[in-house]
Amino acid sequence: MAHPLELKLVRLRRRLRWWMIALGVSRLIAAAVGMVVMLGLVDYLLRFEDRGIRVMLTAALLAVVGWASHRWLYRPATTRLASLDLARRVGRRFPELGDNLPSAIEFLKQSEDNPVAGSPGLRRTVIAEAAADAERIDFMSMLDRRPVARGVLVAVGVCLVAGILLLADTLSCQIAMARLAYPLGEVAWPRKNHLQLVERVTRVARGQPFEIEVVDADGARLPSRVAIHYRSDSPPGESTEEIQPMRLVGATMVARRENVTRPFAYRVEGGDDRRMGWID
């Protein structure tokens, strides 16, 4: 049967491990949820269409969660604190124990008839004195509850922010999480802008001007910057592209090109609408 001194250290070690795990869980939750919120907001604001960038965002999330799990959960759960090391920590925390507690723990691990361990009577005296002193001390009081409390508060705060965002815009949160979970998937952000040509111009007489007007198909306000892209074939057969800003005239964006003498293709981009195909 274990000595009462050893039992007190066993209970302290068990409680310390659970406290470290609780701290690790709270830190892991704060890190994981915080990263999801941050990356989701970045994706929401910038509306990434490049799947390579989306893969990098997901990889960053997995890297942070993996590091946090190893650092704050795996290591505390698998690291074993020896009784003698724990006894030394207790002795430093409670100076009235002096060196008796570590010595007593070391003596308890030695057999009575060990010829190199010193006098059995002296060892029993040290053990008895350490046990008597330890009876008056609550080993659990050496545990600092503040880091665990702070960790829990931070985790609750981060989860509260995530919950507020979820309630404020459930659809956007669902899209952001789906894009993080499946970076190669087809989930896309709803477009705010839906550019539409007032008239699809495909023929212009030689030497005459080319002019188009663009509006929002849903009647929404046009973005502040709308550009028209021109693509033409150079003599050697290579394509060249030119980009020009369009002018706001009333409620439409207008582009005009004077004195057309050869064929070209065009397309319009503005705001988050970059899906118009080339028109010859």
Side-chain angles (χ1 to χ4, degrees), residues 179-242:
R179 285 166 63 88
L180 273 176
Y182 307 103
L184 298 177
E186 301 295 333
V187 181
W189 290 106
R191 285 183 294 152
K192 296 179 180 179
N193 305 114
H194 300 80
L195 301 182
Q196 176 179 284
L197 297 172
V198 174
E199 181 182 354
R200 184 184 176 95
V201 179
T202 58
R203 296 179 67 86
V204 177
R206 183 183 298 274
Q208 295 300 308
F210 161 80
E211 184 175 278
I212 60 167
E213 296 180 345
V214 173
V215 296
D216 191 280
D218 297 334
R221 184 178 179 180
L222 288 166
S224 59
R225 185 181 184 279
V226 178
I228 183 169
H229 296 237
Y230 296 105
R231 186 180 67 187
S232 57
D233 293 331
S234 56
E238 297 179 358
S239 295
T240 59
E241 186 173 337
E242 178 186 358

Side-chain angles (χ1 to χ4, degrees), residues 77-260:
T78 57
T79 300
R80 179 174 177 80
L81 187 60
S83 297
L84 187 57
D85 295 331
L86 187 58
R88 291 193 181 103
R89 291 192 182 187
V90 175
R92 288 193 295 268
R93 173 63 178 80
F94 302 105
E96 58 268 32
L97 290 175
D99 294 329
N100 279 355
L101 182 60
S103 299
I105 295 301
E106 194 169 10
F107 290 157
L108 285 170
K109 296 183 179 299
Q110 298 171 347
S111 62
E112 283 283 337
D113 55 353
N114 189 337
V116 297
S119 168
L122 177 60
R123 283 183 282 162
R124 285 192 292 269
T125 299
V126 172
I127 293 172
E129 289 178 355
D133 291 337
E135 282 295 324
R136 300 189 297 268
I137 297 174
D138 181 12
F139 285 5
M140 300 300 175
S141 64
M142 69 176 291
L143 298 176
D144 188 357
R145 297 171 174 81
R146 289 173 296 180
V148 178
R150 284 195 297 266
V152 172
L153 286 176
V154 170
V156 170
V158 172
C159 291
L160 185 60
V161 171
I164 292 173
L165 292 175
L166 183 61
L167 291 176
D169 194 342
T170 303
L171 178 60
S172 294
C173 291
Q174 290 174 340
I175 293 174
M177 288 187 289
R179 285 166 63 88
L180 273 176
Y182 307 103
L184 298 177
E186 301 295 333
V187 181
W189 290 106
R191 285 183 294 152
K192 296 179 180 179
N193 305 114
H194 300 80
L195 301 182
Q196 176 179 284
L197 297 172
V198 174
E199 181 182 354
R200 184 184 176 95
V201 179
T202 58
R203 296 179 67 86
V204 177
R206 183 183 298 274
Q208 295 300 308
F210 161 80
E211 184 175 278
I212 60 167
E213 296 180 345
V214 173
V215 296
D216 191 280
D218 297 334
R221 184 178 179 180
L222 288 166
S224 59
R225 185 181 184 279
V226 178
I228 183 169
H229 296 237
Y230 296 105
R231 186 180 67 187
S232 57
D233 293 331
S234 56
E238 297 179 358
S239 295
T240 59
E241 186 173 337
E242 178 186 358
I243 303 175
Q244 294 181 359
M246 300 182 70
R247 296 181 295 108
L248 181 63
V249 179
T252 64
M253 285 285 185
V254 178
R256 183 180 177 89
R257 193 173 195 180
E258 303 290 345
N259 191 25
V260 175

Side-chain angles (χ1 to χ4, degrees), residues 16 29 51 53 65 73 88 93 151 169 199 211 235 254 267 273:
L16 178 61
I29 292 174
R51 293 185 181 180
I53 296 178
V65 171
L73 279 183
R88 291 193 181 103
R93 173 63 178 80
D169 194 342
E199 181 182 354
E211 184 175 278
V254 178
R267 62 189 295 269
D273 189 347

Side-chain angles (χ1 to χ4, degrees), residues 9-17 80-81 83 86:
L9 289 177
V10 167
R11 288 192 292 268
L12 175 61
R13 180 167 50 238
R14 187 181 297 120
R15 179 71 62 86
L16 178 61
R17 175 167 295 172
R80 179 174 177 80
L81 187 60
S83 297
L86 187 58

